[in-house]
Amino acid sequence: MLPGIEKINPDLSLLTPQLIVLGLSLLLLLIDAVVPRWRGAVMAYLTLIGYAAALVATFFMFDMNESTFYGMIRADDFSAFVNVIVLVAGILSVLVSINYMTSRAEPGSMPVPEYYALISFSILGAMIVGAAGDLVIVFLGIEMSSLAVYALTGFARHRITSLEGALKYFLLGLFASAILLYGMAWTYGATGTTNLSEIAAELANYDTSGNIEASLLLAVLLLIVGLGFKVAAVPFHMWTPDAYQGAPTPVSAYMSVIPKAAGFAAMVRLLVQALEPLADEWTIIIAILAVVTMFFGNIVAIAQTDIKRMLAYSSIGHTGYMLAAVAAYGASASIDDDLSVTSLLFYLLAYAFMNIGAFAIVTWLQDRGRGVDLSDFRGLASQSPVAALMMTVFLLSLTGLPPLVGFYAKYYVILATVDAGMIWLAVAIVLASAASAFYYLRVIATMYFAEAEQPEPVGSTPWLGAGLLAMVAGTILVGIFSGRVFDLAQGWVDALTIIPG
Amino acid sequence: MSTEVLIFDLLAVVAVISALGVVLARNPIHSAVALVVTFINLAGIFVMLHAEFLAAVQLIVYTGAVTVLIVFVIFLVRVNDLPEFYGGNPVQRAFAVLIGLALFAEVAAAILTRSALGSTGPWTSEVIAEAGGNVQVLGQLLYTEFSIAVQITAVVLLVGTVAALVLARPDSALLPGRGKRTGLISLGHPRGTDREVAAALPASLEASRRGEAPGVRFDDRGVVLVDNAEVFTESTAWGGDRLEEEE
Amino acid sequence: MDELSATHFLLLSAALFIIGMMGVLTRRNVIVIFMAVELMINGVNVALIGFAWEQNSMIGQSFALFVIAVAAAESVVGLGIIMALQRRIDTVDIADIRQLRE
Amino acid sequence: MDSLPILSMITYAPLVGAAILFFASRADAEMSRRIALAFATISFLLSLAMLIAFDVNEPGMQFTEHIEWLPGVGVNYDFGVDGVSALLVVLTTLLSLIGVIASGSITHRRREYYITLLLLETGMIGVFFALDLFLFYIFWELMLVPMALLIGVWGSANRVYAAVKFFIYTLAASLLMLVGIVAVYWENINQGNDPTLNILDLAAVQYSDDFQFWVFLAFFIAFAVKVPMWPFHTWLPDAHVEAPTVGSVILAGVLLKMGGYGMIRFNLSLTPDAAEDLAPYIIALSVIGIIYGALVALVQPDMKKLVAYSSVSHMGFVTLGIFAFNMQGFYGAMLVMLSHGFVTGGLFLCVGVLYDRAHTRLISAFGGVVSRMPVYAALFGVLMLASLGLPGLSGFVGEFLAIVGAFTEHRWAGAIGMAVVILSAWYMMWLFQRVVLGRAAGEPPDPLDGALQSGSVPAVAGGQGVADHGDEWPVDEHGVPQWPDVTRLELIAIVPLVLLSIMLGVWPGPFMDVMRTTLESILVPFGSQGV
Amino acid sequence: MSDLLFLIPLLPLIAAAVNYIFGRWYLRETSAYIATAAVAVSFALSLGVFIDQLGSDDPLRQHLYDWVPAGLFHAPLNLYADHLTAVMLMVVTSVSLLVHIYSMGYMQGDPGYYRFFSFLPLFVFSMLMLVLADNLLVMFFGWEAVGLCSYLLIGFYFRRHSANQAAKKAFIVNRIGDFGFSVGVMLLFWKLDTIIFEQLFDRLDLLSTNTLTVAALLLFTGAVGKSAQLPLFVWLPDAMEGPTPVSALIHAATMVTAGVYMMARLYPVFSASSDALLVIAIVGALTAFIAGTIAITQFDIKRVIAYSTVSHLGFMVFAVGVGAWAAAIFHLMTHAFFKGLLFLGAGSVIHGMHEEQDMRRMGGLRKYMPTTHLTFLIAAASNAGIILFAGFWSKDEVLVGGWLDERYILTFVMFGAAFLSSLYIFRAYFMTFWGEERFDAREVHPHESPSIMTVPLVILAIPAAIIGFAGFPPEDGWIHDFLEPNFTTEQRSEEAASAVAVFQAEDEADEHHVSTAMTLTFGAISTLLSFGGLGVAYLAYVRKHPAFSPTVWAARAGPIYQLFANKYYLDEIYERLIVHPLYWFSEQVLWQIVDIRIIDGAVNGVASVVNYSAAQLRRVQTGFVANYALAIAIGAVIVIGLALAFQSDLLN
């Protein structure tokens, strides 16, 4: 009874955005080798065009719920939305990077051509995670994304701190990957399959009313730990501040969003989709992690004076909010109304605009020869009012102040948590937000209330400027017109449909 | 106790001991050797588990490529300078052991209480034999069910290559033309690091600081800008870019 | 424990995994840490293949294959980082590589 | 929304002004001022028109606007105005207009200043119009930033601390309200209703007692901080002292009112049972605040701090009146809010007038201002009297009604609260005496001073402290700087407030007519007498 | 007539506003004429009201507008004039008019001339509003407004610290009374749902006696403040910082009697509670006596008169307390004239002595200022209760009232007060107008005041001398008949009526059938006391009889004299026991500790805790990768351990 070797006939159209990005990455590598003179700006244009094309393709991917490659690849609204998040974040990151790469902000020179290729690969990895229908694909996607980011972190190879960040990120990433893998192995061992839908189907037969078998729970927990590392949940967050601080600023901006998005996509795929029957067990764990994370991140951020490090801790805090969104899963009577992942996805999109925006302003200052310390922001409002205003918008949005997108994001998360009956979690979110106002406001206060000490920042960064405009517009408008976005995100429930491989 | 178990025990014990060797050996070379031993033992266990192809891969990839790579790096970073020590302070070590034991207890508890799923897959040894063996079946699977995974893995490997290239390739490969270059030398940092401040500057630099040496400028960060960096690389103690190695 | 069962392999895998983990936790030489992680990954592989053996499925073996491949890619990147770092500061001791802190 | 969206026009006129100013980067200070003035005036005139067209016999919302916004989560753009908000909006637009007029002394970053002011106005008006809880929350938080900027950028010495404290304090409190909003949203849905955040729909739902208790607290703390109620008041003195004059005016005149407004609009309608259950505690806190604020005001060395603590005291009457649950209390609370807007706004302007001349606000630095600035003294005097609750001026009607309302429900609270008439007279008159009356530092005493006291009280010369007068003003032979009397602009700013506070005291009828039917309808769930 | 009622208060108000706004730059001297004319027209209209009321028992009413229409708490601005009001209107407008005229001379050349003639009509307006009010809130408006005017006029010389202090003190002390008054108002409203007098009286039988007592006492607190009773009279002597016409008008004739008027107006409330009345009587008697004792030790002419005022207010309050309502109003009326005259006379003296107020630096002035002397003498006689003068009749009735109410001890105290009032006023008279000239004749040239000042004195002297005959024959004079409707309770419900009826029957029996013998006896006692005081003063200050030497007596009395001279140390006691502790408490406890340390400390403490934990927690990030991995491992172990323990089947 040998299964005959059938001609595999995958529906590659379901992978259109991914294929576009893959093609782009290969093209970039090729150009580097063949037409070295096109290095720099031309590659950036190409990258932007490629992402835009993938984004456009993604919009045709909504309202689908199919799988291909023996169920290894899912094309549902969840994967489409993840694509939107990472591609938007990718476009923004590239816009932030272009001028930085050629500025003298980093010592020595950087291998620019590979930069865009690596970013594209990383984005591809994240998109693959979003579309994954199998543990193997989740793993491969995460690794692809991570490997590229390790290299990007150490991209300023002449700066020791950059390499140090890369090393730490890498070692711990490897460590966490091993844990994640172990969890996957246990999942496989408990269910006999690696297909996410099949795992869910398998577990659905399992009696989850009482206590869970230890080995099954171990699998869940190892997965949570591994994923917790990827999304920087406390206490698995330790790499975050060092890596963010060490990496070149555009890379920090990039990795504050896309690996996090990949991590959360994996979390949704693994926990929500595959381990859905065990939701009662993991929601509470995630909820506790969420509270610890949001408080730790937001409180330690207060003590930071290095803006990048501060934003790193802030991103840990935001991970807490997003974890809260995940923890809110499973409360609604009708799964179609479940807001947990909807709010998570919206949060990630919002976060892309505001957090990359904040890093972009840091980049903007670095491009003009300033450092990344809080004192470098002194009196910015009087020297460059527009930049200061933009930074204010981003920071206030991160604080969660209406009518900026950060508020809507947080609101939806609170909506989800309260719906899940976790009022305490909602209260924790708002208290942590209040604490976060401390340090966000300190930057604003430094820009507006302090006297300038350094000479006026001069320089020309047209691409960065365009990116900043886009991000400010996004930060203001995405929230106000969040209705449609929210509807799109609500399509994630597709992922719960069981499509066996 | 069957022979199988005996063999397994033998292999397992050796593997664990050599694994401990990896962790405990003072000399990293010894660690590397112990690692190879572990890998070989694991290959044996893989064979026991009817994973012949994986056993081969284990030998080839790990004992072959990876270990060689490791040793290569060890040589690269000069064996004599390798630190021979255990982890930091005793508290950390104690904690590590404690945590390790605790985790092991947890995992072992899970292992011992688990209810086996049983044989759910179709690939009994007979079926495999009928299909032509482990390698054939694996190959078939890789070309069907796992075809996309194989392709993604290919990309991952490509990414790994590019990433390593980006990090490890020397600067000179990046910069077109090797003629007149402006090098950056940090005076405050011995051996090119950012960590310590040099106790005393070489005499030639003192001269240049006074503006007597031609082709040298200071900028306000305490960094020397030189027209010809090679002039200042007589001592590796504070040569920033090890330019002499690339010559 | 008379018959060879998955429990054996799982215990071995756990042992390897945890020994590797302790290596990561205790060693200061980056390269040794790196080796310890490889140990952990091998532990995982043992588990994967053990489960596959127990269940008569080939999925575990295939998975393990990808794990080995990815581990190789990771080695490359890791060693690249080590080399780049080693080029700047002549050390592989992680206690020396801690400018980024607090 | 068939008719003209007048409420939106009122709300966004300042925003348009701010946008124009933002892009008109070439506008100089004078131009900025004119633009700001124009849009603040437009908003004010529109709000007046709205008030004229307002139907006082209609208890419900008027001029409502409805646009679907985020249907998925029940959020709509709902605007409306009733008897409670109508007056407060006009107060807001008026004080904003006066704020623009009175901003002459701002010297740096004037364009940004007016942008901030106009943004603030939009936020404040929106709070009063918004009927959707989500929209309300947006406006509620929206005004935080401009206010914090006003304090932080254009404030005095310790401004950063004050701005940050103001921001975080109020933010922390209002974030809990957000949780409350969400909780109400779900509870409404759980009861089988359509998702909505419209306050009118949500108020129609009966919530369980336990639920009401927590939701009440969530809302109440946000509002109590804004009011500010004892013991949530400590941000206020700092904010007031550091804020520029106009910031203080708007802070006292409008921002504090939002607390009271929020309690009436949300706490009472959403959680009437909890409100009734908790009323005794709130009444107790109010009374503590009333007396406490007055006592602490008594010993303040700084004029603005004194007025700030007096605000704590006055605003205690608002909560006192609201939680008496009768017509007198409601009227009292509303009238106190209006009166406090006029009077305290005016007082801060008065303090600002002096500050612009002497560059200090320390009471001890002044004395005998009346001899140099008689018109100023008269205006200050009327406001001082209105503040201490003299019948016939605005403070009295509201405070008395609030206490009457409280007294009929809680005897001791009313009686103790009434005792503040003594203290308010004390601190206000003492302030007036030390600053306006008497003599300036350096002036010789009157020969007949203390003649009656049979030598037991020594003749006292003018204020003891020394203000840093600089060379700005000419001095007379005693070294007393000859400050000019109020300028025309200052007069234009202060006189309307003085007139309004007289009008509110002498003839509060029109004001009460506007709010009557609305207040009666709010009172319905409390089944109280007193119609 | 009732349609014109509103003009009575309005005209002075307009005058006040016009003078205040335009006075400084445009009107200047003219302001006095405007004010005087306005008050004169008010006086004329009041006369009309009075004449109207003479022949009518129907009160005049006018509804102006709804002032505070807050549901049940409905306070319309209604004007109401009955007999009591008519009497008050006459007193207020006539004395006001005369004081206005007098002030034109007295205030001549003062830089605040226009201000004076703005505040003075403002006061008239306020007082008229108080008198004309038909509900508690409007009355309270007038009540507070006169307080304000008092504040403005006491502090008229605002460049004097002492004047400012006195003004503030007057207002604040008054506010203590107002506090009680307003709580009383609220109590009545709470119980009866109305604050309009007539409705209030109709519903009074709904109240228990206890409530009535409390309400009456609370309202009386207002009177204690306004009418300067014990223990709140301390503001009145200090109020003499104001210009003398102000003292005459506000602090003698009108404002201070507002408390008595209020109690008369609320007669049904007060008369229904005998306990409250007893308290009132005691307070009145003690005030009358104690103020008298202080007055005999003062040297400042205005202070003597001021304490005399306090003492006489005590008489009125005592009269109220013993149920001699008509007597109280009667005394109020006579007192208004003679005390106003005394102050104006004193003002004339001060004016003639170049602002000298100390009697020790006067003496023998009768030859310099004969008109003043004569009018002052008339007023003093009236004040002392010399027979036939106005004060005699009214004071006599108060004493008889006390006796009839069987408050014998209090009545004896009042005898003492009556003796003292004769003693101190003649002491002042003799020290001022008789004896040697103790002033420095080189610098001070005493002179008679101009006729603009003396004419009002003369005019005022007429009622001060003869108005007493309005109450002749005693207990049954015209004034009694006229006020009769105000002081009878009507329309009480059945049960309450029966209870009250008995009381009332006794009351009426006593009051309206006073025996001639008793009248004569009391007349004799009064006369004896007044002449006694006169005699002692004469012996002591004119004849310098050694047995009556003030210095000797002062030395002999020792501490008691000091007690009197220092007004029982009341100011000091208040300062030490209330003012200072309050400041200390507010500043050191409430502000520095509660506010800054505790409340704000908690707020900042939260911030500090957060900052501190941030500073500590950041150290977790050691930069050492092994530590990071350890953190991950520990986290994993804890998470796995806890989850396995609680959620798995391992332990459960």
Side-chain angles (χ1 to χ4, degrees), chain E residues 304-644:
Chain E
V304 173
I305 304 173
Y307 281 110
S308 153
T309 308
V310 176
S311 177
H312 280 270
L313 289 167
F315 274 88
M316 295 174 217
V317 170
F318 174 75
V320 169
V322 295
W325 298 92
I329 297 301
F330 185 30
H331 194 59
L332 185 161
M333 184 171 77
T334 58
H335 174 258
F337 292 116
F338 71 68
K339 193 53 61 67
L341 181 55
L342 274 177
F343 266 118
L344 293 185
S348 179
V349 169
I350 294 165
H351 191 74
M353 291 292 291
H354 308 287
E355 307 300 326
E356 179 59 74
Q357 301 194 10
D358 194 332
M359 295 190 294
R360 283 169 296 192
R361 289 194 283 275
M362 294 181 185
L365 292 180
R366 65 186 189 280
K367 60 174 183 274
Y368 295 108
M369 32 186 84
T371 317
T372 309
H373 166 240
L374 198 63
T375 51
F376 195 93
L377 178 60
I378 293 171
S382 192
N383 187 64
I386 301 294
I387 191 156
L388 294 183
F389 286 95
F392 167 77
W393 304 104
S394 54
K395 187 155 63 180
D396 192 41
E397 268 191 41
V398 174
L399 297 174
V400 172
W403 192 263
L404 286 177
D405 201 39
E406 298 168 357
R407 309 288 187 211
Y408 303 118
I409 300 172
L410 292 179
T411 311
F412 277 111
V413 173
M414 295 307 285
F415 285 149
F419 169 74
L420 287 173
S421 81
S422 175
L423 175 59
Y424 60 67
I425 201 67
F426 279 110
R427 168 176 170 267
Y429 166 73
F430 289 128
M431 280 185 83
T432 309
F433 293 101
W434 294 71
E436 71 278 25
E437 297 170 10
R438 291 182 297 273
F439 48 85
D440 185 349
R442 284 164 303 182
E443 285 184 13
V444 181
H445 307 286
H447 57 84
E448 181 58 283
S449 301
S451 56
I452 190 97
M453 288 166 69
T454 51
V455 169
L457 291 182
V458 173
I459 298 174
L460 210 48
I462 297 167
I466 63 162
I467 196 83
F469 290 102
F472 187 81
E475 305 298 334
D476 205 17
W478 166 83
I479 186 97
H480 302 92
D481 292 340
F482 188 64
L483 291 176
E484 177 77 42
N486 278 91
F487 301 128
T488 45
T489 34
E490 317 146 12
Q491 302 166 335
R492 310 219 86 197
S493 76
E494 297 299 315
E495 41 185 327
S498 59
V500 175
V502 181
F503 178 74
Q504 211 173 15
E506 291 173 18
D507 211 35
E508 281 180 15
D510 287 347
E511 209 167 317
H512 288 283
H513 301 286
V514 183
S515 64
T516 321
M518 191 165 187
T519 314
L520 288 177
T521 315
F522 270 81
I525 295 172
S526 285
T527 310
L528 207 63
L529 291 172
S530 55
F531 277 106
L534 169 66
V536 172
Y538 181 75
L539 290 174
Y541 293 96
V542 181
R543 299 300 301 270
K544 310 279 186 201
H545 193 286
F548 292 96
S549 164
T551 39
V552 173
W553 276 95
R556 194 175 293 167
I560 296 181
Y561 176 80
Q562 287 302 322
L563 188 69
F564 292 173
N566 288 297
K567 41 204 163 153
Y568 291 75
Y569 296 103
L570 271 179
D571 272 337
E572 287 77 5
I573 290 170
Y574 290 154
E575 193 75 12
R576 298 260 164 78
L577 288 187
I578 299 177
V579 177
H580 280 298
L582 197 68
Y583 273 120
W584 179 85
F585 178 71
S586 300
E587 174 147 15
Q588 300 302 328
V589 179
L590 285 185
W591 187 32
Q592 296 293 343
I593 294 178
V594 177
D595 213 58
I596 294 179
R597 296 253 182 82
I598 299 178
I599 300 179
D600 216 19
V603 173
N604 291 330
V606 170
S608 312
V609 166
V610 169
N611 275 326
Y612 178 78
S613 30
Q616 295 305 311
L617 281 176
R618 70 181 291 188
R619 294 170 59 187
V620 169
Q621 205 82 24
T622 53
F624 192 27
V625 182
N627 289 347
Y628 295 5
L630 186 65
I632 295 176
I634 291 177
V637 167
I638 290 173
V639 168
I640 294 172
L642 286 180
L644 286 182

Side-chain angles (χ1 to χ4, degrees), chain E residues 184-380:
Chain E
V185 172
M186 292 190 297
L187 185 65
L188 287 177
F189 170 73
W190 168 51
K191 286 289 184 189
L192 302 178
D193 283 344
T194 183
I195 49 168
I196 297 173
F197 291 141
E198 288 174 313
Q199 297 173 3
L200 210 58
F201 300 157
D202 286 349
R203 300 178 195 174
L204 270 186
D205 45 3
L206 299 172
L207 296 184
S208 69
T209 318
N210 278 341
T211 316
L212 264 177
T213 306
V214 173
L217 285 176
L218 284 169
L219 293 170
F220 174 62
T221 321
V224 169
K226 192 109 313 188
S227 292
Q229 296 298 295
L230 209 67
L232 299 182
F233 68 78
V234 289
W235 65 271
L236 187 59
D238 285 1
M240 299 304 127
E241 287 280 354
T244 308
V246 171
S247 308
L249 179 58
I250 299 185
H251 304 121
T254 52
M255 185 190 91
V256 287
T257 61
V260 179
Y261 168 76
M262 181 269 291
M263 290 193 282
R265 173 54 73 207
L266 294 172
Y267 161 77
V269 178
F270 282 91
S271 63
S273 166
S274 52
D275 292 344
L277 285 182
L278 176 60
V279 173
I280 294 171
I282 294 171
V283 169
L286 285 180
T287 309
F289 184 79
I290 286 175
T293 57
I294 301 174
I296 53 172
T297 61
Q298 301 297 313
F299 292 104
D300 184 306
I301 186 166
K302 281 180 75 178
R303 291 214 155 201
V304 173
I305 304 173
Y307 281 110
S308 153
T309 308
V310 176
S311 177
H312 280 270
L313 289 167
F315 274 88
M316 295 174 217
V317 170
F318 174 75
V320 169
V322 295
W325 298 92
I329 297 301
F330 185 30
H331 194 59
L332 185 161
M333 184 171 77
T334 58
H335 174 258
F337 292 116
F338 71 68
K339 193 53 61 67
L341 181 55
L342 274 177
F343 266 118
L344 293 185
S348 179
V349 169
I350 294 165
H351 191 74
M353 291 292 291
H354 308 287
E355 307 300 326
E356 179 59 74
Q357 301 194 10
D358 194 332
M359 295 190 294
R360 283 169 296 192
R361 289 194 283 275
M362 294 181 185
L365 292 180
R366 65 186 189 280
K367 60 174 183 274
Y368 295 108
M369 32 186 84
T371 317
T372 309
H373 166 240
L374 198 63
T375 51
F376 195 93
L377 178 60
I378 293 171

Side-chain angles (χ1 to χ4, degrees), chain D residues 161 165 169 230-235 237-238 291-292 295-296 298-301 305 309 327-328 331 368 370-371 374-375 377-378 384-385 388-392 396-397 400-401 403-404 407-409 411 414-416 418-426 429-430 432-433 436-439 443-444 446 448-453 457-458 460 504-509 512-513 516 529-531, chain E residues 20 24-25 65-74 77 114 137 140-142 144-145 147-148 151-152 155 157-168 171-173 175-180 182-183 185-190 193 218 237-242 300 302-303 355 357 360 567 578-580 582-591 593-596 599-601 603-604:
Chain D
Y161 170 73
K165 187 172 181 181
Y169 209 134
W230 190 89
F232 303 116
H233 65 281
T234 51
W235 62 270
D238 287 322
I291 301 294
Y292 180 96
L295 282 176
V296 178
L298 199 55
V299 294
Q300 294 305 316
K305 257 199 170 147
Y309 276 108
M327 238 10 223
Q328 291 78 40
Y331 274 131
V370 59
S371 332
V375 178
M384 176 272 289
L385 294 169
L388 59 79
L390 192 82
F396 169 72
V397 186
F400 199 83
L401 284 177
I403 291 189
V404 166
F407 186 84
T408 53
E409 307 295 327
R411 237 70 53 211
I416 298 171
M418 197 70 221
V420 84
V421 295
I422 304 164
L423 298 171
S424 64
W426 194 343
M429 283 187 162
W430 202 34
F432 192 71
Q433 180 190 333
V436 176
L437 304 178
R439 283 150 184 272
E443 279 189 273
D446 189 304
L448 286 171
D449 197 348
L452 264 176
Q453 307 292 327
V457 176
V460 176
L504 187 58
V506 174
W507 195 28
M512 294 167 80
D513 286 343
R516 172 170 297 113
Q529 24 65 335
V531 174
Chain E
Y20 192 71
R24 185 181 177 86
W25 290 284
Y65 66 94
D66 283 343
W67 182 31
V68 182
L72 285 176
F73 192 86
H74 182 77
L77 189 55
Y114 82 95
L137 202 68
F140 189 63
F141 163 76
E144 288 269 290
L148 165 71
Y151 168 80
L152 292 172
Y157 301 115
F158 53 71
R159 289 171 69 74
R160 293 179 195 164
H161 180 70
S162 55
N164 293 331
Q165 286 288 57
K168 187 183 67 175
F171 197 86
I172 293 171
V173 171
R175 275 243 156 162
I176 297 173
D178 298 351
F179 159 60
S182 30
V183 176
V185 172
M186 292 190 297
L187 185 65
L188 287 177
F189 170 73
W190 168 51
D193 283 344
L218 284 169
D238 285 1
M240 299 304 127
E241 287 280 354
D300 184 306
K302 281 180 75 178
R303 291 214 155 201
E355 307 300 326
Q357 301 194 10
R360 283 169 296 192
K567 41 204 163 153
I578 299 177
V579 177
H580 280 298
L582 197 68
Y583 273 120
W584 179 85
F585 178 71
S586 300
E587 174 147 15
Q588 300 302 328
V589 179
L590 285 185
W591 187 32
I593 294 178
V594 177
D595 213 58
I596 294 179
I599 300 179
D600 216 19
V603 173
N604 291 330

Side-chain angles (χ1 to χ4, degrees), chain A residues 4 28 32 37 40 42 60 64 127 135 156 228 239 249 264 268-269 297 328 379 384 401 421 446 462 471 477 486 495:
Chain A
L28 289 173
D32 181 33
R37 271 180 306 146
V42 176
F60 293 101
M64 256 184 210
M127 290 165 79
L135 290 178
W239 59 276
T249 313
F264 275 107
V268 172
R269 285 291 182 199
S384 316
L401 223 66
T446 311
M471 285 181 278
L477 296 178
F486 203 71

